[in-house]
Amino acid sequence: MITYEPFYRTLKEKNITTYKLITQYNISRSLIDRLKHNKPVTTVTLNDLCKILGCKIEDIVEYIEE
């Protein structure tokens, strides 16, 4: 299972809120909702988040074997 828990830890470490992502970086509320509920997102989205947060992919997504 893919989980986006690292994404929220990274946001906290970088002191960035989801509100800031929405208002300053034009990330949609629906994308934030998809991440919150561990729904699929595109690799383009993951790439954009890595650029915005200045982090690696493992700082956003984690695979947990079921």
Side-chain angles (χ1 to χ4, degrees), residues 1-10 32-41 46 49 56-66:
M1 174 176 99
I2 298 292
T3 179
Y4 299 104
E5 281 300 316
F7 169 69
Y8 290 99
R9 287 193 298 268
T10 302
I32 300 297
D33 187 63
R34 295 185 72 73
L35 294 169
K36 182 178 179 181
H37 293 98
N38 294 320
K39 294 184 179 176
V41 297
L46 294 173
L49 290 172
K56 297 179 181 180
I57 189 74
E58 57 267 22
D59 297 327
I60 294 176
V61 65
E62 179 181 21
Y63 174 73
I64 300 173
E65 194 168 337
E66 293 183 67

Side-chain angles (χ1 to χ4, degrees), residues 2-50:
I2 298 292
T3 179
Y4 299 104
E5 281 300 316
F7 169 69
Y8 290 99
R9 287 193 298 268
T10 302
L11 283 181
K12 188 172 184 172
E13 288 170 8
K14 298 198 178 263
N15 210 19
I16 297 176
T17 63
T18 54
Y19 178 78
K20 186 173 184 177
L21 287 176
I22 293 165
T23 58
Q24 292 185 358
Y25 297 101
N26 297 320
I27 300 296
S28 70
R29 292 176 195 266
S30 63
L31 174 59
I32 300 297
D33 187 63
R34 295 185 72 73
L35 294 169
K36 182 178 179 181
H37 293 98
N38 294 320
K39 294 184 179 176
V41 297
T42 67
T43 54
V44 171
T45 298
L46 294 173
N47 185 63
D48 291 346
L49 290 172
C50 286

